[in-house]
Amino acid sequence: MVPSFFSLSFSRLGLWVSGVILVIGFLKLLRLLLRKQKLARAMDSFPGPPTHWLFGHALEIQQTDSLDKVVSWAHQFPYAHPLWFGQFLGFLNIYEPDYVKAVYSRGDPKASDVYDFFLQWIGKGLLVLHGPKWYQHRKLLTPGFHYDVLKPYVAVFAECTHALLDKWEKKAHEDKSFDIFCDVGHMALDTLMKCTFGKGEKGLSQRDNNYYLAVSDLTLLTQQRLESFQYHNDFIYWLTPHGRRFLRACQIAHDHTDQVIRKRKEALKDEKEREKMQKRKHLDFLDILLEARDESGLRLSDTDIRAEVDTFMFEGHDTTTSGISWFLYCMALYPEHQQRCREEVREILGDKDSIQWDDLGKMTYLTMCIKESFRLYPPVPQVYRQLSKPVNFVDGRSLPAGSLISLHIYALHRNSAVWPDPEVFDPLRFSPENMSGRHPFAFMPFSAGPRNCIGQQFAMNEIKVVTALCLLRFEFSLDPSRLPIKMPQLILRSKNGIHLHLKSLSRGPGK
């Protein structure tokens, strides 16, 4: 009698739980359908490429030629077109300067449908914050990117670059091409470790290497999650092997950051350590975060500090790696521009082995080449916003508040209405006379408007130092059998790496 009673009770409980799950699932589906209807209705006046009944445009976006596919869509649909990741996540994909200005001259928040995927990893730092807290953080962090703070970093950039070039000297002697992307990534991380945490001169430890691998893993996993609509639900995602791998990588990254912050805070309690810090050649990013206060004297919390450090490490490491690697590819592809950049750097430096702050402003042709490589190969090819209020576009069309915007920077930079012969590498596009009449929202490697990249001057200084020293030490040429295949992740990568031949020019420390 008793067993049958329990059996009946469990049976009823199972039916009740199943019913609740079905109701929750139905309500969730209804909410998604209503939201899809709202997004689709908002984009009614924008024709676009045909969608798959289940995947939307996701299957085409996942193909290796997806970037050029979007450029072809941009020719077919001037100004903008709908872009669907699955059936429920739809953006207006824009790539025309006036359309970009209408959105990016405002301070609309990042699209939570995309950037919430970052929260578990980088927390609520500048990348994902909006409103008063974003403004507070931006104001507190801005002094950390003043040129007086950035000036001493030039020596750090040069030191880390020389270590990379010494490694490449050995590889160059093997007389075969190799993938530069991974080595540049390690160098960029080594640089950021020193600028962010004040790491010593020994380079990356095993723990730091684990951090590097974790950040690389998190970047890839976040992009894959965005493209796979079945992973958009948190509950489902954390149950998958993909989601568990993401959580493990997050733990490695957070443990590393937390340990460094904890040690620094403990050290700062010691008066001698504080004196040492003040006598150092440069303050690191963590020093600035720990000392930052607003008008009322409030400091950032430990959670805020970790979020900003993790955000800076993510944004400052991968984007720089992409920018440097694709620039060196462009130099290999266009040897006449490579030689002209090299001659300019030699003329500026003379017999010096390294670069000083004042040298950077003199590298005009190198800077134009860097910008042109950014145009053709933007480190971040696509970014997203959610409208906080309606927007009216230049052609009379509009979108209501709540609509999602995808700015396709890659397509914007190859828009033939803005850039004549957009596939041609022409650094003179960025000469003062050619830039003077150009639309201010036509070139956006660091975004634009009030939410532009706070670290863009840091990034440009680093890229100038690294590329100038690379061109002094080596001549770069292509491996025709292993040309890179563009692959848009959160940053622009190559599916098969960036393989180049390097010929030593026998110039470097001690040579």
Side-chain angles (χ1 to χ4, degrees), residues 197 199 207 255-270 273 286 290:
F197 301 128
K199 288 282 178 181
R207 186 181 180 85
D255 286 349
H256 181 279
T257 308
D258 287 344
Q259 185 188 58
V260 175
I261 292 172
R262 188 169 57 251
K263 283 184 176 178
R264 180 65 58 82
K265 290 187 86 170
E266 286 172 3
L268 289 176
K269 291 175 185 175
D270 187 315
E273 285 296 325
L286 185 53
L290 289 169

Side-chain angles (χ1 to χ4, degrees), residues 369-384:
C369 286
I370 291 170
K371 289 181 177 179
E372 179 67 346
S373 75
F374 279 176
R375 184 187 70 82
L376 286 168
Y377 304 98
V380 181
Q382 196 170 7
V383 291
Y384 309 89

Side-chain angles (χ1 to χ4, degrees), residues 278-392:
Q278 288 163 1
K279 289 177 183 176
R280 263 188 299 179
K281 284 186 282 186
H282 68 271
L283 292 176
D284 57 50
F285 187 59
L286 185 53
D287 293 329
I288 291 159
L289 287 174
L290 289 169
E291 295 297 314
R293 302 183 190 200
D294 63 15
E295 293 89 344
S296 59
L298 286 176
R299 297 177 184 269
L300 293 170
S301 69
D302 285 357
T303 303
D304 288 337
I305 291 171
R306 185 174 86 175
E308 295 302 352
V309 166
D310 286 340
T311 297
F312 185 57
M313 292 301 294
F314 158 61
E315 292 200 274
H317 153 242
D318 259 6
T319 51
T320 306
T321 301
S322 176
I324 292 169
S325 299
W326 285 106
F327 170 83
L328 293 175
Y329 166 72
C330 287
M331 293 295 95
L333 190 57
Y334 305 105
E336 67 278 16
H337 296 296
Q338 179 182 167
Q339 184 57 28
R340 186 165 170 185
C341 287
R342 185 178 292 113
E343 287 170 359
E344 178 185 70
V345 175
R346 281 176 175 164
E347 187 176 335
I348 292 166
L349 296 188
D351 295 329
K352 292 187 296 184
D353 282 329
S354 203
I355 294 172
Q356 308 300 317
W357 171 264
D358 292 339
D359 298 325
L360 299 181
K362 302 172 188 175
M363 298 177 181
T364 53
Y365 197 76
L366 177 70
T367 302
M368 289 192 290
C369 286
I370 291 170
K371 289 181 177 179
E372 179 67 346
S373 75
F374 279 176
R375 184 187 70 82
L376 286 168
Y377 304 98
V380 181
Q382 196 170 7
V383 291
Y384 309 89
R385 293 281 173 91
Q386 182 165 4
L387 299 182
S388 56
K389 56 186 179 182
V391 64
N392 295 307

